[in-house]
Amino acid sequence: MKVGMLGLLRVVVLMLVLRVSSSSSASYSGKQNGRKSMLPVPAKATTSSLMLNRVGNSIVLPLHGNVYPDGFFDVTLNIGQPLKPYFLDPDTGSDLTWLQCDFKGPCQSFTKAPHPHYKPSNNPVLCEDPLCKSLHPPEYECENTEQCYYELWFQDGSSTRGILVKDAFSFNFRDGKQLEHSLALGCGYNQTPGPFPNPNDGVLGLGKGRLSIVSQLSMDGVVRNIIGHCISVRGGGYLFFGDDHYDSSLVQWISMSSDLPGSSYTYLYPPAYEALITLVKEELTGKSLKEALDDETLPLCWQGERPFKSLDDVREYFKPIALSFANHKENVCLGILNGTAGMNLNIIGDISMQDKVVIYDNEKQRIGWAPEKNCDQLPKSESTSI
């Protein structure tokens, strides 16, 4: 979104990231965030994609997790034959949905996960399939025409290597119907963790590419190619695929950039960033905070007289803020980062969009948002949340 610097300085809302150390670790015994792994509960009605009119249908996925103390969110999807539950990290910056996989591939390497590794059905995607080709550059040559190999690297330094397969996914709609549908996903047999690994089974790819879950569902006529999320500051929230959850006339829309990935942090055009930092430092003059120069979590962090443990510890120092928590040092860091030199626009990260419905309309190439007071409550079919 392009924002003039003067206008930005008038309306900027400070977004901070609180890094809190913790002696506890995630449990891998089948529980996460107070919930148990559950197989799908029989729905009121089950339908196939051929029976669905995609206009007026939305798939809803509860978000589990919180900003503090876990510092991450995930969704549960039931995948495979038979269907089994897996915890996935939603990622709007990548297309491929993948699971750590029980596959005899070369150089097997896995990270800790809350469930046993996914066992794929015998349904590999061929190398010449358009879905496979979307993973590779045009000049890519198949090593094995009977399988689609991939290797992906992420911004945090983590990576996954595997093969592309097709298998059953189970989805719940707002109206109570349940759909079992075959989609392509990655069977990852070699994973490299990043610096802050989440205890998940894999990644839910929500990008704009052909291989993303929503793109596949849209091509099959199940839902429109629209993604939305509502992240609650109280913990939890939900994702939705489709367009029946909101009144478009009440949403603030802007055009979608065609060449920029998603982001959790907010990045500002460098002159605007420097002006903002100057204002923040002026605001802190005379207050009992000093820069934590030894904390490399983010470029700008502060240390208080006592370790910061909660949002209440920080309120007195800053104007209205939104906080995100993760396991690190007991300092408070500015979650607005300096944009890359030469970047002539600003990026508003999704951490800044808590308690708002944020909509990615890939069909009309636009992004929208609107306030929402009940992000921790799943939308019902009888009423519209916006």
Side-chain angles (χ1 to χ4, degrees), residues 36-48:
K36 295 182 179 180
S37 301
M38 298 291 289
L39 289 173
V41 176
K44 295 179 182 178
T46 302
T47 185
S48 70

PDB file of all heavy atoms in Angstrom, residues 36-48:
ATOM      1  N   LYS A  36      -6.896 -31.401  22.098  1.00  0.00           N
ATOM      2  CA  LYS A  36      -6.440 -32.735  21.767  1.00  0.00           C
ATOM      3  C   LYS A  36      -6.602 -32.989  20.280  1.00  0.00           C
ATOM      4  O   LYS A  36      -7.448 -32.414  19.617  1.00  0.00           O
ATOM      5  CB  LYS A  36      -7.243 -33.780  22.549  1.00  0.00           C
ATOM      6  CG  LYS A  36      -7.048 -33.712  24.063  1.00  0.00           C
ATOM      7  CD  LYS A  36      -7.836 -34.802  24.745  1.00  0.00           C
ATOM      8  CE  LYS A  36      -7.630 -34.761  26.255  1.00  0.00           C
ATOM      9  NZ  LYS A  36      -8.392 -35.823  26.929  1.00  0.00           N
ATOM     10  N   SER A  37      -5.745 -33.872  19.772  1.00  0.00           N
ATOM     11  CA  SER A  37      -5.893 -34.277  18.382  1.00  0.00           C
ATOM     12  C   SER A  37      -7.169 -35.076  18.228  1.00  0.00           C
ATOM     13  O   SER A  37      -7.399 -36.038  18.941  1.00  0.00           O
ATOM     14  CB  SER A  37      -4.697 -35.133  17.952  1.00  0.00           C
ATOM     15  OG  SER A  37      -3.498 -34.427  18.109  1.00  0.00           O
ATOM     16  N   MET A  38      -7.999 -34.669  17.292  1.00  0.00           N
ATOM     17  CA  MET A  38      -9.297 -35.311  17.119  1.00  0.00           C
ATOM     18  C   MET A  38      -9.510 -35.684  15.664  1.00  0.00           C
ATOM     19  O   MET A  38      -9.178 -34.921  14.762  1.00  0.00           O
ATOM     20  CB  MET A  38     -10.418 -34.368  17.550  1.00  0.00           C
ATOM     21  CG  MET A  38     -10.367 -33.966  19.027  1.00  0.00           C
ATOM     22  SD  MET A  38     -10.726 -35.316  20.141  1.00  0.00           S
ATOM     23  CE  MET A  38     -12.476 -35.514  19.849  1.00  0.00           C
ATOM     24  N   LEU A  39     -10.076 -36.856  15.440  1.00  0.00           N
ATOM     25  CA  LEU A  39     -10.514 -37.223  14.107  1.00  0.00           C
ATOM     26  C   LEU A  39     -11.798 -36.476  13.783  1.00  0.00           C
ATOM     27  O   LEU A  39     -12.475 -35.975  14.680  1.00  0.00           O
ATOM     28  CB  LEU A  39     -10.739 -38.737  14.034  1.00  0.00           C
ATOM     29  CG  LEU A  39      -9.457 -39.575  14.063  1.00  0.00           C
ATOM     30  CD1 LEU A  39      -9.821 -41.044  14.167  1.00  0.00           C
ATOM     31  CD2 LEU A  39      -8.602 -39.338  12.834  1.00  0.00           C
ATOM     32  N   PRO A  40     -12.153 -36.348  12.505  1.00  0.00           N
ATOM     33  CA  PRO A  40     -13.324 -35.552  12.155  1.00  0.00           C
ATOM     34  C   PRO A  40     -14.606 -36.075  12.786  1.00  0.00           C
ATOM     35  O   PRO A  40     -14.847 -37.272  12.845  1.00  0.00           O
ATOM     36  CB  PRO A  40     -13.388 -35.653  10.632  1.00  0.00           C
ATOM     37  CG  PRO A  40     -12.327 -36.567  10.203  1.00  0.00           C
ATOM     38  CD  PRO A  40     -11.492 -36.938  11.367  1.00  0.00           C
ATOM     39  N   VAL A  41     -15.398 -35.131  13.286  1.00  0.00           N
ATOM     40  CA  VAL A  41     -16.710 -35.478  13.832  1.00  0.00           C
ATOM     41  C   VAL A  41     -17.706 -35.516  12.685  1.00  0.00           C
ATOM     42  O   VAL A  41     -17.683 -34.656  11.811  1.00  0.00           O
ATOM     43  CB  VAL A  41     -17.148 -34.421  14.862  1.00  0.00           C
ATOM     44  CG1 VAL A  41     -18.551 -34.713  15.370  1.00  0.00           C
ATOM     45  CG2 VAL A  41     -16.155 -34.379  16.015  1.00  0.00           C
ATOM     46  N   PRO A  42     -18.579 -36.500  12.615  1.00  0.00           N
ATOM     47  CA  PRO A  42     -19.544 -36.553  11.522  1.00  0.00           C
ATOM     48  C   PRO A  42     -20.335 -35.265  11.426  1.00  0.00           C
ATOM     49  O   PRO A  42     -20.852 -34.754  12.404  1.00  0.00           O
ATOM     50  CB  PRO A  42     -20.451 -37.738  11.916  1.00  0.00           C
ATOM     51  CG  PRO A  42     -19.588 -38.591  12.790  1.00  0.00           C
ATOM     52  CD  PRO A  42     -18.695 -37.656  13.538  1.00  0.00           C
ATOM     53  N   ALA A  43     -20.418 -34.715  10.216  1.00  0.00           N
ATOM     54  CA  ALA A  43     -21.113 -33.450  10.002  1.00  0.00           C
ATOM     55  C   ALA A  43     -22.595 -33.699   9.768  1.00  0.00           C
ATOM     56  O   ALA A  43     -23.049 -34.820   9.578  1.00  0.00           O
ATOM     57  CB  ALA A  43     -20.502 -32.710   8.808  1.00  0.00           C
ATOM     58  N   LYS A  44     -23.340 -32.592   9.759  1.00  0.00           N
ATOM     59  CA  LYS A  44     -24.778 -32.702   9.520  1.00  0.00           C
ATOM     60  C   LYS A  44     -25.057 -33.278   8.143  1.00  0.00           C
ATOM     61  O   LYS A  44     -26.025 -33.971   7.923  1.00  0.00           O
ATOM     62  CB  LYS A  44     -25.411 -31.319   9.644  1.00  0.00           C
ATOM     63  CG  LYS A  44     -25.325 -30.731  11.043  1.00  0.00           C
ATOM     64  CD  LYS A  44     -25.954 -29.344  11.078  1.00  0.00           C
ATOM     65  CE  LYS A  44     -25.846 -28.717  12.461  1.00  0.00           C
ATOM     66  NZ  LYS A  44     -26.411 -27.345  12.479  1.00  0.00           N
ATOM     67  N   ALA A  45     -24.205 -32.919   7.198  1.00  0.00           N
ATOM     68  CA  ALA A  45     -24.378 -33.435   5.844  1.00  0.00           C
ATOM     69  C   ALA A  45     -23.036 -33.494   5.168  1.00  0.00           C
ATOM     70  O   ALA A  45     -22.151 -32.707   5.447  1.00  0.00           O
ATOM     71  CB  ALA A  45     -25.328 -32.537   5.053  1.00  0.00           C
ATOM     72  N   THR A  46     -22.857 -34.469   4.298  1.00  0.00           N
ATOM     73  CA  THR A  46     -21.620 -34.599   3.549  1.00  0.00           C
ATOM     74  C   THR A  46     -21.945 -34.476   2.075  1.00  0.00           C
ATOM     75  O   THR A  46     -22.947 -35.000   1.606  1.00  0.00           O
ATOM     76  CB  THR A  46     -20.952 -35.966   3.823  1.00  0.00           C
ATOM     77  OG1 THR A  46     -20.722 -36.076   5.224  1.00  0.00           O
ATOM     78  CG2 THR A  46     -19.635 -36.089   3.080  1.00  0.00           C
ATOM     79  N   THR A  47     -21.067 -33.786   1.346  1.00  0.00           N
ATOM     80  CA  THR A  47     -21.341 -33.545  -0.060  1.00  0.00           C
ATOM     81  C   THR A  47     -20.068 -33.654  -0.868  1.00  0.00           C
ATOM     82  O   THR A  47     -18.979 -33.612  -0.336  1.00  0.00           O
ATOM     83  CB  THR A  47     -21.971 -32.149  -0.260  1.00  0.00           C
ATOM     84  OG1 THR A  47     -22.329 -31.991  -1.628  1.00  0.00           O
ATOM     85  CG2 THR A  47     -21.011 -31.040   0.117  1.00  0.00           C
ATOM     86  N   SER A  48     -20.189 -33.821  -2.144  1.00  0.00           N
ATOM     87  CA  SER A  48     -19.046 -33.815  -3.044  1.00  0.00           C
ATOM     88  C   SER A  48     -18.982 -32.481  -3.753  1.00  0.00           C
ATOM     89  O   SER A  48     -19.941 -31.723  -3.777  1.00  0.00           O
ATOM     90  CB  SER A  48     -19.175 -34.940  -4.081  1.00  0.00           C
ATOM     91  OG  SER A  48     -20.215 -34.642  -4.985  1.00  0.00           O
TER      92      SER A  48
END
